[in-house]
Amino acid sequence: EDAEEIPPPSLEEGEEEIEELRQEREARNNEIRHMRDERDFRKAHRRTPKELAPLLTGLLVAALFPQIIMVKIEEVATSKKKKKPAAQPPKFFIREHGSNEPVQVSIHPASVNHKTKEFTEQYLVYHQLVRTNKLYIR
């Protein structure tokens, strides 16, 4: 019977523990609220690829501005027998550094787009500008 009796915690110690637990619970509730708010924000601002296309196009053009090609397709007037006007091969223009006027270029024969006849976009991006007897892009 050498057992020592442990006195019950004082009211003050119990209140401190309760206060710590209350603060912990409040912190966790705040974290949960923040996670919900963030999830709701992401849900509300989620965009489809179609909605993001103009933004992504703008970002690419801004990042690759010096290497943009403008594609011009000129249609030739046809006789009344043909319903569709005949399209000429597209012409490609760039703006060289220091020049305000567009400069016509050709697609390099080694380029993957060399044999392409139709382009769905008005602007393209090139990797390299090569000057031989004329200006080539690839």
Side-chain angles (χ1 to χ4, degrees), residues 55-68:
L55 172 65
L56 294 175
T57 302
L59 288 171
L60 281 171
V61 168
L64 300 168
F65 173 73
Q67 295 165 293
I68 299 291

Side-chain angles (χ1 to χ4, degrees), residues 11 18 23 30 32 34 36 38 48 50 54 57 71-72 81 86 88 114 116 129 131 136:
L11 189 56
I18 290 172
Q23 287 176 355
N30 284 337
I32 291 169
H34 177 71
R36 265 194 236 129
E38 191 174 310
T48 64
K50 190 173 185 175
T57 302
V71 180
K72 284 192 177 179
K81 292 179 185 179
Q88 293 287 326
H114 179 66
T116 305
L129 182 64
R131 187 182 304 265
Y136 286 105

Side-chain angles (χ1 to χ4, degrees), residues 16-82:
E16 287 175 10
E17 286 181 36
I18 290 172
E19 181 60 25
E20 285 177 17
L21 289 171
R22 190 191 67 71
Q23 287 176 355
E24 211 175 291
R25 187 190 74 218
E26 186 63 32
R28 286 195 178 140
N29 284 341
N30 284 337
E31 285 177 24
I32 291 169
R33 264 189 239 111
H34 177 71
M35 288 180 350
R36 265 194 236 129
D37 291 346
E38 191 174 310
R39 185 187 65 222
D40 292 344
F41 177 83
R42 278 186 297 200
K43 234 184 205 178
H45 292 85
R46 189 174 291 148
R47 300 287 182 252
T48 64
K50 190 173 185 175
E51 292 171 324
L52 286 175
L55 172 65
L56 294 175
T57 302
L59 288 171
L60 281 171
V61 168
L64 300 168
F65 173 73
Q67 295 165 293
I68 299 291
I69 307 164
M70 185 171 54
V71 180
K72 284 192 177 179
I73 301 169
E74 295 177 4
E75 293 182 354
V76 177
T78 59
S79 65
K80 293 179 183 178
K81 292 179 185 179
K82 292 184 180 180

